[in-house]
Amino acid sequence: MAGRARSAQQSLFQSLPDTRLVKQTLLCAPHTSSLPAPTTPAITVVEQTQRTAIASQLWMALHIPAVALQAVAIATDDSPLVVVAIEQRVQRVLHANSKARQAGIAPGMGLNAALALQADLRVCERDPARERALLERLAACMLQFSPRVSLEPPDAVLLEVKGSLRLFGGAAVLCRQIALACEDAGIAVTQALTPQALAALICARAGVGAHITDPGQLRGQLAKLPLGALRWPDDELARLANMGVHRLGELLRLPRAGFAQRFGPARLRMLDELAGKVAAPRRTFITAERFHGRVELDHELTSSAQIRLALQPLLWQLEDFLRQRQSALNQLQLRLSHRARPATSLRLTLTTTEFAAAQLDFLFGEHLARLQLPAAVTGLQLRTGPLLPMTTSSASLWRRGEHGGSADRELPAFIERLRARLGVEAVHGLCLVPEHRPEAAWRVAEPVLSPLASASVPTSYPSETSMYRRPLWLLGEPQRLDTREGRPCYGETLQLSSGPERIESGWWDGRDIARDYYLACNAAGMSLWVYRERSPPHAWYLHGVFA
């Protein structure tokens, strides 16, 4: 009888899920005789706070069906395709596209049997790296709708959208906008919207298009789902099936203490999260700081038009990447892979920042038209340099040249088009150098459309408004002049109108000069810039021509 009494007491104690927590709370509380004994455990306050926080949230789950197939499939290819994985040393079909399913190929089928049904079947091995990249691309696309985006590997993304409802005009409009964004990105997804993150994830993976904003309706919707939506191990699902539990509603009604003893506290906490009693923290997705896109081709490309067509999807992804960060770039590198040759690198350097895919596509097309390929192309990689702030401006109300109307982006586009067609080395700009020697006072630089703050000129250097002028046209090498009675001749005797301007410099680098410069004119009115060497034999030289 005593043993039965002790057993009944133990059963009663186990049936109370919060008794241990109450006991710990009473033991840890300070002993004060003037305070009344607490009638409600402290854990209830914590649970109430968590439930209030959960009720103020709204989660959207996006599930990618057949993520392994979407990660390797090529949108422009309509041939039968399967993704295989090795199971017990046998290659089996993991996913099959619509063409392959029409031929009778189904998931779980051996590869040899699939090839017997479709001889021209394209076979791809599962690539976890591509699946992760596809998931990250979807998460990056969702940042335009919510800053709280989380990855749920291997095939789903979660985003909290409660704060976005007013911005997008309600839950229905937001769901349509997200569906359109996924369609534009070329990713097929199933949606689910619930007040609880795990519930939305399970509904989306089960293919149930749940659209629940009221927490009171959530439990009734979850009760209809099969246990397979939880993605628990097969042995646990089999044990629940032997107990007569086949749906989530039946699972949520099981006694908590007995369930925790048989399946562990982790499974019990998952059920509490599913029921909205507790909230699980989720890691926020952080996007990469630089873009790196890759295309692995299933056939070789031999012409610039084919390469440009294969590159266009990467450029559109790049534009989305830049728009999400409000950034632009002025350097871009394209690497073309070959089967038995080193990769060909094509670097695009812009005069101004750019983010539009159409302009980048045009420039790459011009460069590819001039490129001599050493071999057929088997893959493409696109990498960006450091990201720069996006600068935008409104178009002028006036046409160029009228009432202060400017050329806007016409001049940068013109320079970039010239460099793409003629070569980077054929189009360049000039930069002033703080140097007194005329032939060393400038250098070749990248074309810059705004004044260079670094190209400062010392105050001692003659300016256009000073008494000493400088010609726009300098000869590459000074031309020696004949003399007549000690005066320089350029076809005829020149008249010196101003000067001398003495320049002595360059002793530190071995190219020192000592000259007296003059402004000279001939009978036809041509203005020339000449100088006389100060050292013997005091020869005269022509160094520049004025307009």
Side-chain angles (χ1 to χ4, degrees):
M1 293 294 293
R4 291 182 181 180
R6 283 194 298 270
S7 178
Q9 291 176 357
Q10 291 177 357
S11 300
L12 179 61
F13 184 78
Q14 291 176 357
S15 63
L16 297 175
D18 294 334
T19 305
R20 178 173 51 87
L21 297 174
V22 174
K23 182 178 180 181
Q24 291 179 356
T25 304
L26 294 175
L27 290 176
C28 296
H31 180 71
T32 305
S33 57
S34 60
L35 294 177
T39 58
T40 304
I43 191 66
T44 306
V45 179
V46 177
E47 288 183 355
Q48 185 65 32
T49 304
Q50 289 184 347
R51 290 180 181 180
T52 304
I54 294 172
S56 63
Q57 297 178 355
L58 193 61
W59 289 87
M60 167 73 74
L62 302 176
H63 170 241
I64 306 177
V67 62
L69 179 64
Q70 292 197 46
V72 301
I74 301 176
T76 58
D77 198 331
D78 199 25
S79 59
L81 171 67
V82 295
V83 178
V84 298
I86 298 178
E87 296 181 3
Q88 297 179 353
R89 300 182 180 181
V90 177
Q91 283 188 323
R92 297 190 179 277
V93 175
L94 186 63
H95 297 293
N97 66 356
S98 58
K99 286 286 185 180
R101 291 195 300 269
Q102 290 175 5
I105 301 174
M109 181 181 295
L111 179 58
N112 292 334
L115 291 173
L117 294 175
Q118 187 74 36
D120 60 342
L121 184 66
R122 285 182 52 220
V123 180
C124 295
E125 294 185 1
R126 184 178 185 181
D127 191 343
R130 287 189 179 183
E131 296 175 21
R132 178 77 180 193
L134 179 65
L135 205 62
E136 291 180 353
R137 185 157 67 90
L138 177 61
C141 182
M142 291 301 105
L143 287 175
Q144 60 184 307
F145 301 104
S146 172
R148 295 181 59 186
V149 179
S150 303
L151 298 180
E152 294 294 334
D155 56 3
V157 169
L158 280 172
L159 57 155
E160 205 284 317
V161 297
K162 185 73 172 182
S164 304
L165 296 183
R166 292 184 61 186
L167 179 63
F168 289 91
V173 178
L174 177 62
C175 291
R176 287 197 298 269
Q177 293 290 333
I178 291 177
L180 290 176
C182 295
E183 184 179 352
D184 292 340
I187 306 176
V189 299
T190 57
Q191 296 182 358
L193 182 70
T194 69
Q196 205 279 330
L198 183 59
L201 182 62
I202 290 177
C203 290
R205 284 174 171 171
V208 178
H211 190 281
I212 304 171
T213 57
D214 184 6
Q217 301 177 0
L218 179 59
R219 190 180 183 95
Q221 180 68 35
L222 294 176
K224 307 173 185 178
L225 297 180
L227 294 183
L230 295 174
R231 294 191 175 182
W232 286 359
D234 293 339
D235 59 336
E236 295 183 1
L237 297 179
R239 291 165 57 190
L240 289 170
N242 293 334
M243 297 167 54
V245 178
H246 302 281
R247 298 191 177 276
L248 288 182
E250 300 167 350
L251 182 62
L252 293 174
R253 288 194 296 269
L254 291 178
R256 292 170 51 84
F259 179 85
Q261 289 180 354
R262 290 173 173 81
F263 295 94
R267 296 296 185 217
L268 180 61
R269 181 172 180 82
M270 184 175 179
L271 293 184
D272 289 341
E273 182 185 353
L274 190 61
K277 297 179 180 179
V278 296
R282 301 190 181 275
R283 180 171 307 205
T284 302
F285 172 72
I286 301 176
T287 57
E289 294 300 325
R290 296 193 181 186
F291 180 83
H292 179 203
R294 183 181 65 176
V295 174
E296 296 293 340
L297 304 170
D298 61 339
H299 60 282
E300 297 181 344
L301 305 180
T302 57
S303 67
S304 59
Q306 293 175 337
I307 298 174
R308 182 178 178 182
L309 185 63
L311 179 62
Q312 287 176 354
L314 282 182
L315 294 178
W316 288 112
Q317 294 177 22
L318 173 61
E319 180 176 343
D320 293 339
F321 177 88
L322 295 174
R323 286 184 181 275
Q324 291 166 7
R325 293 160 180 77
Q326 291 294 295
S327 301
L329 51 84
N330 59 4
Q331 294 181 7
L332 196 58
Q333 184 182 25
L334 174 64
R335 288 175 57 88
L336 306 177
S337 303
H338 310 288
R339 191 172 299 279
R341 297 286 187 90
T344 301
S345 180
L346 179 60
R347 184 177 294 275
L348 187 64
T349 303
L350 308 177
T351 56
T352 57
T353 58
E354 185 59 74
F355 63 90
Q359 177 67 7
L360 297 176
D361 175 53
F362 171 79
L363 295 176
F364 270 121
E366 296 291 337
H367 281 280
L368 290 171
R370 300 174 51 251
L371 184 65
Q372 297 293 331
L373 294 175
V377 176
T378 59
L380 295 85
Q381 292 189 36
L382 191 64
R383 292 177 179 267
T384 64
L387 300 187
L388 303 174
M390 180 187 295
T391 56
T392 58
S393 60
S394 301
S396 175
L397 293 175
W398 312 103
R399 290 185 298 178
R400 181 164 51 93
E402 294 183 353
H403 301 282
S406 62
D408 296 330
R409 292 193 53 84
E410 293 182 11
L411 183 57
F414 176 70
I415 294 176
E416 291 164 1
R417 181 177 300 182
L418 284 179
R419 300 189 81 178
R421 293 185 177 179
L422 304 179
V424 176
E425 66 284 351
V427 182
H428 54 76
L430 298 179
C431 177
L432 293 178
V433 177
E435 171 63 60
H436 289 280
R437 290 170 290 185
E439 60 270 22
W442 61 276
R443 60 180 173 83
V444 174
E446 285 292 318
V448 178
L449 303 180
S450 59
L452 278 178
S454 60
S456 58
V457 181
T459 57
S460 61
Y461 191 80
S463 64
E464 190 68 23
T465 59
S466 67
M467 61 179 295
Y468 301 113
R469 297 173 55 195
R470 291 289 182 267
L472 183 62
W473 179 12
L474 281 180
L475 276 67
E477 290 290 338
Q479 178 182 344
R480 185 163 182 171
L481 300 176
D482 296 331
T483 58
R484 186 177 302 162
E485 298 179 356
R487 298 174 62 182
C489 297
Y490 187 66
E492 57 187 13
T493 304
L494 298 176
Q495 300 293 329
L496 304 180
S497 59
S498 65
E501 174 194 350
R502 181 163 295 176
I503 299 179
E504 293 187 18
S505 182
W507 54 266
W508 55 86
D509 59 4
R511 296 184 291 115
D512 54 323
I513 64 172
R515 304 168 181 170
D516 286 337
Y517 278 87
Y518 296 87
L519 180 62
C521 298
N522 61 7
M526 180 182 294
S527 298
L528 306 174
W529 202 40
V530 298
Y531 68 85
R532 178 177 178 267
E533 290 281 3
R534 299 194 64 247
S535 58
H538 304 293
W540 286 87
Y541 290 87
L542 172 64
H543 201 178
V545 179
F546 290 90

